[in-house]
Amino acid sequence: MLRITHSQYPVPVSADLRQMLVNVITPELRKLNIIKLPSAITINFRDPSYSAEKGGYRPVEIRLEIRDNEGRINYITEFCYVGQDWCAELTKSVDFDFGTGEWMMLGLPYAPVETSAEFYTLWESNFLTYHQMGLFTVSISIED
């Protein structure tokens, strides 16, 4: 069974987020008949109606690196459309990169991820609420 570590994050990653990720990943691994945990799992949360024209709930990608049956969140990235009409493109709007120890918000320079703790807590709370509301379709990718 996959566990997600609770220690050594530079921001307060909640037990609720870690449990939600386990709850999302476990049935997918069973469905794919995965017995041995892979080295990494990327989870994508998408609002199917999100578009550059209409907006919606922004897509989020979370990557876990796994060692000894324990996952560690490597990064959490939220995307948004920038631009209009035919030239709108999906780009990072918020990125908490625990691997590099940096974070960014669109329009601001990268900074040490520890400086995002208050914003991270608010962001995570909103994300969990949107997930609980069933606003996202979820898919996972596995890397061996």
Side-chain angles (χ1 to χ4, degrees):
M1 170 98 169
L2 175 67
R3 295 181 321 270
I4 298 178
T5 186
H6 65 279
S7 61
Q8 299 182 2
Y9 292 113
V11 295
V13 174
S14 74
D16 290 341
L17 177 68
R18 294 190 321 270
Q19 187 60 54
M20 183 273 286
L21 294 174
V22 169
N23 292 346
V24 164
I25 293 167
T26 301
E28 291 297 317
L29 293 177
R30 286 188 183 130
K31 190 177 358 175
L32 295 170
N33 203 24
I34 304 291
I35 297 169
K36 180 183 175 278
L37 287 173
S39 62
I41 298 173
T42 303
I43 310 109
N44 290 287
F45 299 85
R46 302 281 186 256
D47 170 1
S49 64
Y50 180 66
S51 70
E53 297 79 28
K54 296 180 182 178
Y57 295 91
R58 295 176 174 180
V60 173
E61 181 173 291
I62 300 175
R63 179 181 168 87
L64 301 173
E65 293 181 347
I66 301 170
R67 289 195 181 101
D68 301 323
N69 293 331
E70 185 168 73
R72 175 164 171 63
I73 299 171
N74 181 254
Y75 66 78
I76 300 172
T77 305
E78 179 183 277
F79 299 89
C80 71
Y81 281 106
V82 174
Q84 295 178 340
D85 300 322
W86 61 272
C87 65
E89 63 181 352
L90 211 51
T91 190
K92 290 180 182 180
S93 59
V94 178
D95 186 34
F96 304 100
D97 191 331
F98 303 142
T100 64
E102 295 182 318
W103 84 288
M104 62 76 67
M105 187 183 314
L106 188 62
L108 298 175
Y110 280 88
V113 74
E114 298 84 15
T115 64
S116 72
E118 186 175 339
F119 176 74
Y120 172 83
T121 301
L122 175 63
W123 180 91
E124 183 191 281
S125 174
N126 289 337
F127 173 69
L128 286 170
T129 299
Y130 303 151
H131 177 73
Q132 291 166 352
M133 292 168 62
L135 299 173
F136 296 118
T137 59
V138 181
S139 63
I140 68 168
S141 302
I142 295 171
E143 183 182 315
D144 272 330

